[in-house]
Amino acid sequence: MEGNNFQIGEEVYVIYRNPHAANVANIEKADIVEHPNKPKELALFLHDAYHPLAVDDAVFSSFDEAEELYNQLFDYQQYD
């Protein structure tokens, strides 16, 4: 995450791991919103659910930034 300078209403990109398949991750578009149960706390709205915004979340302002880290983390060419 590039810092906690996100604002409510921002569209962001996250590297999201599939909870049903640990070795599967995708870049997904999400929105920064106010958490409905914790006023004044930010959350990611992703897949019709609220996810508390944590410092260690992989959240980016642009798809290109997310893709750069994704390619570093999941560089399958190293196994060729």
Side-chain angles (χ1 to χ4, degrees):
M1 187 163 116
E2 58 187 37
N4 200 0
N5 299 323
F6 295 107
Q7 301 293 319
I8 293 173
E10 269 188 84
E11 239 181 33
V12 295
Y13 295 88
V14 298
I15 297 176
Y16 180 79
R17 255 189 213 276
N18 183 328
H20 305 291
N23 63 342
V24 176
N26 296 300
I27 299 172
E28 302 280 344
K29 189 184 289 188
D31 294 307
I32 301 291
V33 297
E34 184 174 27
H35 196 289
N37 300 326
K38 299 175 184 175
K40 299 186 181 182
E41 286 192 28
L42 297 180
L44 291 168
F45 188 68
L46 175 69
H47 296 245
D48 295 324
Y50 296 94
H51 303 274
L53 190 58
V55 175
D56 60 348
D57 287 339
V59 181
F60 303 90
S61 296
S62 74
F63 181 85
D64 291 337
E65 291 172 330
E67 186 177 41
E68 185 177 328
L69 180 60
Y70 180 91
N71 289 335
Q72 290 175 20
L73 295 173
F74 302 100
D75 180 11
Y76 296 110
Q77 293 180 3
Q78 66 181 321
Y79 300 109
D80 288 343

